[in-house]
Amino acid sequence: MNEEWPILWSFRRCPYAMRARLALKSAGMTVVLREILLRDKPDAFLAASKSATVPVLELRDGRVIEESLDIMFWALQEASDPAGWLSGWSSRKQETQAFLDELDGEFKTDLDRYKYASRYSADAQSALELANTHRAGGCNFLNRIDMRLSKKPFLNGYSAGLEDYAALPFVRQFRIADMKWFDKQSWPFLQKWLQTFLHSQVFKDVMYKYKPWVPGATPIIF
């Protein structure tokens, strides 16, 4: 790889890629961003990624990081965590790991089967039943987030950190599935937490819409 900076393969709306971009932005790490379309993956991306999923970070030394949380940890640790995102991880590692495991495991399963129920169902009625079941499952997780946020403004404590930015893109997706319903739910602390993120400059920065990468394109410095 001849790039001056690492290459980040990304897809704008993917929550995994979103949280990787958030961490890179917080860490002040410069990368060359290559936006792709998941329905038309470039050969160069497929050559770099065994999993063929975003995000993928190609480092200058030839290493490839394919998991979003690994990219977050790499960026924050490489930059000595300038915004203190890892403070919660450092003080309560076991609890933070359990939260991340549930977020990427059970909650992500509930999210997918709620938002995309028709993909997992044979007919409209079974899709509705599946969506309701998994919406209820996701709500259990969100109820606990709201309870945590009632005690401190962020999951990380008094400032946003790893847990917050790992979770926010997925909570955003859960809301997108039915925004009118979501906004009526009695989650005052979670609602404020999410809206603060959605109206932040960092969210606008990482959600800027770039053209899909093609060979020979002018590098996008992110």
Side-chain angles (χ1 to χ4, degrees), residues 110 113-115 117 121 126-136:
D110 284 329
R113 283 157 180 75
Y114 165 44
K115 188 176 181 184
S121 307
S126 59
L128 178 61
E129 293 172 358
L130 185 71
N132 288 336
T133 296
H134 286 281
R135 183 169 74 178

Side-chain angles (χ1 to χ4, degrees), residues 29-98:
M29 303 294 290
T30 300
V31 298
V32 173
L33 188 145
R34 291 184 177 178
E35 177 77 5
I36 68 169
L37 298 176
L38 298 182
R39 65 176 182 272
D40 186 20
K41 299 173 183 176
D43 291 340
F45 167 70
L46 295 174
S49 172
K50 294 179 180 179
S51 63
T53 58
V54 293
V56 172
L57 185 65
E58 291 188 73
L59 302 181
R60 293 184 63 197
D61 61 9
R63 287 179 294 155
V64 176
I65 307 176
E66 298 198 55
E67 296 294 333
S68 60
L69 285 175
D70 291 341
I71 293 173
M72 294 181 81
F73 275 111
W74 175 85
L76 297 170
Q77 291 169 347
E78 191 77 8
S80 299
D81 191 21
W85 279 27
L86 296 177
S87 58
W89 171 262
S90 299
S91 62
R92 42 184 175 75
K93 186 172 295 184
Q94 186 173 351
E95 293 88 344
T96 300
Q97 186 63 63

Side-chain angles (χ1 to χ4, degrees), residues 152-205:
K152 293 182 181 179
F154 300 100
L155 299 175
N156 190 58
Y158 290 103
S159 62
L162 178 69
E163 289 174 276
D164 298 278
Y165 287 110
L168 278 160
F170 294 94
V171 177
R172 171 181 174 268
Q173 273 211 337
F174 198 92
R175 176 178 181 262
I176 287 173
D178 188 338
M179 289 191 286
K180 290 184 178 179
W181 173 86
F182 186 99
D183 291 345
K184 291 178 181 178
Q185 301 311 299
S186 182
W187 294 321
F189 303 99
L190 179 140
Q191 300 278 14
K192 180 180 179 181
W193 171 80
L194 178 60
Q195 288 300 320
T196 296
F197 169 65
L198 295 179
H199 290 90
S200 68
Q201 186 59 49
V202 69
F203 177 71
K204 294 177 183 178
D205 289 344

Side-chain angles (χ1 to χ4, degrees), residues 13-19 38 53-55 67-69 98-117 119-120 130-131 133-135 137-142 144-145 166-174 177:
R13 297 197 308 273
C14 171
Y16 293 108
M18 196 184 304
R19 67 186 185 186
L38 298 182
T53 58
V54 293
E67 296 294 333
S68 60
L69 285 175
F99 175 84
L100 295 174
D101 288 344
E102 184 175 6
L103 172 67
D104 284 8
E106 186 176 346
F107 179 71
K108 183 60 166 60
T109 297
D110 284 329
L111 169 61
D112 287 346
R113 283 157 180 75
Y114 165 44
K115 188 176 181 184
Y116 307 111
R119 298 180 183 178
Y120 301 93
L130 185 71
T133 296
H134 286 281
R135 183 169 74 178
C139 285
N140 290 332
F141 184 70
L142 298 179
R144 283 182 277 126
I145 290 183
L168 278 160
F170 294 94
V171 177
R172 171 181 174 268
Q173 273 211 337
F174 198 92

